[in-house]
Amino acid sequence: MLPVAELVGSVQHYQNGADTALIERAYTYSEWAHREQTRRSGDPYFVHPAAVAEILAGLKLDTASVCAGLLHDVVEDTLATTEDIKREFGPEIAQLVDGVTKLSKINFTSKEDRQAESFRKMVVAMAEDIRVLIIKLCDRLDNMRTLEHMKPESRERISRETMEIYAPLAGRLGINKIKSELEDLAFMHLDGDAFRDISSKLTKSKIERERYIEGVCRTLLSRLAESGFAADVSGRAKHAFSICRKMKERESEFEQIHDLIAFRVIVETVADCYATLGVVHSRWTPIPGRFKDYIALPKPNRYQSLHTTVIGPGRQRIEIQIRTHEMHRVAEHGVAAHWQYKERISGGISPEDAKKFTWLREIADYQSELKDPAEFLESVKLDLFPDEVYVFTPKGDVRVFPRGSTPIDFAYSIHSEIGHRCSGARANGQIVPLRYKLHSGDLIEVMTSPSQTPSKDWLDFVVTSRGRNRIRQFLRSEDRQKSLNLGRELLETEMHAAGMSINKFLKQDAAVRRAVEKHRVGTKDELLLAIGFGKLQAQDVARTIRADGSTPSDRPPPSLKPGPIESLVRRVRRREAGIRVSGIDDVLVRYAKCCNPLPGDPVIGFITRGRGVTVHRRECQKAFDTDPERRIDVSWDSKSKINRPVQLKVNTTNEPGILATVSQTFSQHKINISEANCRASDDGRACNVFTFPCTDLGQLRTIMKALGRIHGVVTVDRV
């Protein structure tokens, strides 16, 4: 455990005039508050907040952040309150502790919408003071370092949450040290076999690799010295998860990944960076298309460097990053490197730097536009995984988009109406289709038409969350009007058959109010919408209105026939469907082919007209394209035993016996392959798609892990 004197000394080293007495008080207070608590490992609990404060000091954060790191669990885990922290340490530290406490309560993998709703509120808080997020990242890093003491199911949940949310957040903040470590730690617990395999191979080649790194560094230093440049040169192997990601992207094995080593050259000035690039390219042959200039076009998180990949000694591919000392500080510490200790603007960041993190404020802005919390969380995840392209407007302004973006994404970034009316585009003066993928350096012009409106097909290729959300909103407003009209028509038909007038009913406020209250909706429009969407039956509403007696009737009503929604009920027995819909056992259920849900998958239902309830996996992109008002809660029936067809794509090397070994692995797990599609390619690979019945998600994960351990299997993916 870090002694208080070392922590204080660490802060004093980078912050002159730090309030050391405040840090000492926070240290003592936290140690006393947690005095009777222990961690799962058996260590005193205070070891954890002390470690978080140490990580924060390593990032050179201000005194308030270090104190909040020491106190971040006090309110959640002890009898102390936020008011106690405010009284003892002031409003700034209390606000940071309160923000981290709220963020700690969020389970990002929960099926419940309230968790996504909590995340929505916390994003707003993070946008106001980004230090809350940095403290939480440090908290998560220390927890991941000691995760082995948790139960297996907790390890998997926390690791998946780390990989999907916290590591990308660290990357977006530019804190690459934390991002890389979080990825490796999560990878170790999510796929231990693959992690150990890559780590073992890295260890075996360590001596040879270090000798190679030393030789390249010596050559680079010598060449740069001859040209009159003072430089620091270092090399390192890429971390395990980044290697695994390369193997999957290239569908290659470890031995075929040649650019495992990255070199870093740190020089004095920007001019030296470009001159150094010339020295490197004169010594080794650059690989076309592998040069990136992040100095002229910095990443949104302020990262700057020149990246080039060359054919180095021994014909090996090596990546070389060239940057200044200031750029290196930003690359390692990200937003934390921009901290201004004297200014308290935008949560401690100068206005100039705050502008560079507008993506977080844009995420916060979504909370006022998206009513559905799960959809909001999906939008956030889209924003956390950008691989940027840089394009120009006709005026010469640079705009940054995620890789794969289209002219429609570009149009929506300018204005919603331009996006809605986008009928075509030009890239570099040439007309391109709306599905055209933007490339860095493109000059994009948007063509509009008053008659153009968004199409549902746009959702198949629009990438940015802003564009997707605007298209969904437009389509839903149209669908809402259609459903409103349909609801009115259905109710009018039923009321007419019962001898009543819908026009007279809608003019009687008291009668409308009673019908609305009876069916638990807010307004008459919502009543008609519920009928149009299929949530209410027009027959039931007509019965309610007639029973109320306030709407005159000229003749007794005929017997009302069962409505379309009644056809949902008692059509499929629970044992056959395996799904409970809002507590009802017997419902007509269809499983979406786009995502093919399995028992154990988090699922959501969508009411379709006349075809029952369609069940999607919660993370399915198509599920978010549906109207939130037609979504309903569904769950797997634990008493039901069903087999669902599943497809796995297994990429292997094309060698004798590999297919037999894969088939044998299925047999060993008592799984019968119902269909196999195997295709060899010219590059020595084979792509095999297997279809088989599966009982639940646990069985699927077991067979995927078993297949992944086979020698010659490159990737295993659920289709």
Side-chain angles (χ1 to χ4, degrees):
M1 185 169 64
L2 184 71
V4 65
E6 286 188 27
L7 179 62
V8 167
S10 179
V11 175
Q12 282 181 317
H13 180 70
Y14 63 82
Q15 185 179 357
N16 294 327
D19 190 345
T20 57
L22 187 65
I23 298 173
E24 290 171 353
R25 279 201 296 124
Y27 189 100
T28 304
Y29 188 97
S30 179
E31 189 173 26
W32 176 83
H34 293 296
R35 64 193 181 282
E36 295 179 355
Q37 297 172 333
T38 56
R39 305 192 80 188
R40 291 182 183 272
S41 62
D43 294 329
Y45 190 87
F46 179 66
V47 168
H48 170 61
V52 172
E54 184 178 9
I55 298 169
L56 288 163
L59 291 174
K60 297 181 171 58
L61 259 73
D62 59 351
T63 301
S65 300
V66 174
C67 290
L70 288 165
L71 300 165
H72 76 275
D73 276 338
V74 167
V75 173
E76 185 177 4
D77 295 339
T78 75
L79 298 176
T81 64
T82 306
E83 284 302 313
D84 293 335
I85 302 298
K86 187 175 181 179
R87 188 171 53 252
E88 291 287 333
F89 301 98
E92 183 183 13
I93 292 174
Q95 185 178 347
L96 291 172
V97 171
D98 185 51
V100 179
T101 300
K102 288 175 181 174
L103 189 55
S104 298
K105 294 178 181 177
I106 301 173
N107 174 5
F108 293 101
T109 56
S110 168
K111 292 183 282 188
E112 302 298 329
D113 280 352
R114 65 173 179 270
Q115 301 294 355
E117 181 63 34
S118 299
F119 185 45
R120 178 204 295 261
K121 294 172 183 174
M122 276 314 306
V123 165
V124 178
M126 291 187 297
E128 291 173 357
D129 194 334
I130 209 167
R131 288 176 295 176
V132 170
L133 180 53
I134 298 175
I135 296 166
K136 182 59 190 175
L137 287 173
C138 296
D139 171 50
R140 176 53 59 110
L141 178 58
D142 186 63
N143 282 329
M144 289 298 296
R145 288 172 175 174
T146 55
L147 198 61
E148 69 273 9
H149 302 290
M150 302 289 286
K151 294 178 180 177
E153 57 271 21
S154 296
R155 287 203 301 268
E156 181 174 353
R157 176 183 62 80
I158 294 169
S159 296
R160 198 166 300 282
E161 185 178 282
T162 299
M163 192 71 87
E164 291 181 358
I165 299 291
Y166 288 106
L169 275 172
R172 282 296 253 155
L173 294 181
I175 313 176
N176 291 316
K177 285 175 63 175
I178 289 182
K179 172 182 177 287
S180 300
E181 188 173 354
L182 284 175
E183 285 179 339
D184 272 2
L185 290 168
F187 178 38
M188 179 174 67
H189 292 290
L190 288 173
D191 194 347
D193 292 337
F195 175 81
R196 284 187 289 273
D197 181 53
I198 292 173
S199 299
S200 171
K201 288 173 179 175
L202 284 172
T203 302
K204 286 179 182 176
S205 59
K206 185 178 179 181
I207 295 174
E208 182 183 341
R209 189 170 59 252
E210 286 179 348
R211 191 180 299 122
Y212 185 87
I213 289 171
E214 186 180 340
V216 172
C217 288
R218 193 165 50 243
T219 302
L220 270 173
L221 281 169
S222 171
R223 284 295 183 116
L224 290 170
E226 289 173 9
S227 302
F229 298 116
D232 295 331
V233 181
S234 60
R236 58 173 177 79
K238 294 180 178 178
H239 64 287
F241 180 70
S242 71
I243 294 171
C244 176
R245 186 164 49 208
K246 282 180 181 291
M247 289 168 64
K248 287 187 175 181
E249 286 172 356
R250 301 176 189 177
E251 297 184 354
S252 303
E253 294 190 77
F254 179 88
E255 290 74 17
Q256 295 166 305
I257 303 295
H258 300 298
D259 50 345
L260 291 176
I261 303 172
F263 290 87
R264 188 174 295 142
V265 182
I266 302 174
V267 292
E268 297 297 325
T269 67
V270 172
D272 289 351
C273 291
Y274 289 99
T276 298
L277 179 70
V279 172
V280 171
H281 284 182
S282 67
R283 178 66 182 86
W284 294 304
T285 305
I287 297 174
R290 298 288 295 172
F291 168 68
K292 294 177 182 176
D293 188 345
Y294 292 119
I295 293 180
L297 295 170
K299 289 188 177 185
N301 61 17
R302 289 296 306 273
Y303 176 88
Q304 289 183 287
S305 273
L306 297 177
H307 287 202
T308 185
T309 303
V310 299
I311 305 295
R315 306 296 297 167
Q316 284 197 39
R317 289 186 176 201
I318 56 175
E319 183 182 70
I320 299 176
Q321 302 168 359
I322 306 166
R323 59 180 72 143
T324 66
H325 290 281
E326 175 62 18
M327 292 173 191
H328 180 62
R329 194 166 66 88
V330 173
E332 292 296 294
H333 295 161
V335 64
H338 296 276
W339 220 259
Q340 306 294 321
Y341 303 114
K342 295 178 182 177
E343 294 184 76
R344 297 299 177 200
I345 303 169
S346 301
I349 305 174
S350 69
E352 180 187 349
D353 289 328
K355 290 178 184 176
K356 303 298 182 182
F357 294 89
T358 52
W359 62 272
L360 187 55
R361 293 198 178 277
E362 286 173 2
I363 291 175
D365 289 342
Y366 293 153
Q367 62 90 23
S368 62
E369 299 173 5
L370 298 180
K371 295 180 180 178
D372 183 45
E375 187 176 331
F376 172 73
L377 186 56
E378 183 251 1
S379 294
V380 171
K381 286 184 178 180
L382 279 177
D383 283 325
L384 292 183
F385 293 94
D387 185 5
E388 293 92 357
V389 294
Y390 299 80
V391 299
F392 295 92
T393 68
K395 293 183 179 180
D397 297 330
V398 177
R399 289 184 180 258
V400 186
F401 293 92
R403 190 166 298 282
S405 294
T406 64
I408 296 179
D409 293 297
F410 181 91
Y412 276 109
S413 75
I414 299 170
H415 194 279
S416 295
E417 275 304 305
I418 293 177
H420 290 339
R421 306 301 169 201
C422 178
S423 58
R426 289 188 180 91
N428 309 313
Q430 301 293 317
I431 292 178
V432 293
L434 294 179
R435 289 176 178 266
Y436 172 79
K437 287 182 169 52
L438 304 179
H439 299 92
S440 287
D442 281 350
L443 190 152
I444 303 297
E445 301 170 77
V446 175
M447 296 180 284
T448 59
S449 168
S451 60
Q452 178 69 51
T453 56
S455 161
K456 192 173 183 180
D457 293 339
W458 287 9
L459 291 169
D460 293 335
F461 54 84
V462 170
V463 171
T464 57
S465 54
R466 178 185 177 88
R468 298 185 68 81
N469 292 334
R470 294 294 189 275
I471 295 166
R472 285 169 178 162
Q473 287 170 7
F474 183 91
L475 295 175
R476 285 169 190 165
S477 67
E478 281 200 331
D479 192 44
R480 181 183 176 88
Q481 190 58 50
K482 289 177 183 175
S483 296
L484 190 67
N485 296 337
L486 177 62
R488 183 186 174 103
E489 289 173 16
L490 291 171
L491 183 58
E492 185 174 17
T493 300
E494 295 300 331
M495 291 184 69
H496 179 74
M500 296 181 287
S501 167
I502 190 171
N503 291 327
K504 290 181 181 179
F505 163 68
L506 293 176
K507 291 176 183 177
Q508 297 172 353
D509 292 341
V512 170
R513 186 173 62 253
R514 284 190 289 273
V516 162
E517 290 173 354
K518 171 72 175 175
H519 292 283
R520 298 180 182 178
V521 291
T523 64
K524 66 181 179 184
D525 278 357
E526 288 181 18
L527 182 71
L528 298 176
L529 276 171
I531 296 170
F533 284 145
K535 290 187 173 182
L536 288 177
Q537 299 172 50
Q539 295 90 338
D540 286 346
V541 177
R543 288 192 190 104
T544 300
I545 296 168
R546 183 168 185 83
D548 178 48
S550 56
T551 303
S553 173
D554 297 329
R555 61 184 184 277
S559 58
L560 298 175
K561 297 179 181 179
I565 299 306
E566 287 179 352
S567 68
L568 295 183
V569 184
R570 293 168 175 61
R571 290 282 299 277
V572 179
R573 303 306 304 170
R574 171 172 65 188
R575 193 168 297 168
E576 297 168 357
I579 286 285
R580 293 176 63 90
V581 179
S582 298
I584 304 172
D585 297 336
D586 302 332
V587 174
L588 180 62
V589 169
R590 297 169 64 249
Y591 294 100
K593 294 181 180 179
C594 51
C595 56
N596 205 16
L598 269 180
D601 280 321
V603 287
I604 192 165
F606 174 62
I607 297 174
T608 57
R609 296 190 183 102
R611 293 186 296 168
V613 174
T614 301
V615 179
H616 291 263
R617 283 159 62 187
R618 272 192 175 257
E619 67 267 25
C620 174
Q621 196 67 55
K622 295 289 185 184
F624 290 106
D625 294 343
T626 62
D627 195 308
E629 295 191 52
R630 294 175 70 180
R631 293 181 207 152
I632 55 172
D633 288 330
V634 298
S635 58
W636 295 103
D637 187 346
S638 58
K639 298 178 182 177
S640 182
K641 300 296 181 184
I642 63 170
N643 275 326
R644 297 273 305 124
V646 176
Q647 285 188 325
L648 284 181
K649 183 169 78 170
V650 183
N651 287 308
T652 67
T653 54
N654 189 16
E655 57 185 57
I658 186 75
L659 191 56
T661 307
V662 169
S663 301
Q664 188 179 5
T665 303
F666 277 102
S667 300
Q668 289 170 351
H669 287 79
K670 296 182 172 55
I671 294 175
N672 181 44
I673 299 172
S674 53
E675 185 180 339
N677 187 343
C678 305
R679 180 168 37 87
S681 57
D682 296 334
D683 61 353
R685 294 276 184 278
C687 178
N688 312 282
V689 179
F690 299 99
T691 305
F692 57 93
C694 190
T695 56
D696 56 34
L697 191 60
Q699 185 184 32
L700 179 65
R701 287 176 176 169
T702 300
I703 187 64
M704 288 179 73
K705 285 186 177 179
L707 292 170
R709 286 194 290 266
I710 298 173
H711 177 72
V713 169
V714 180
T715 59
V716 181
D717 296 300
R718 182 176 177 180
V719 178

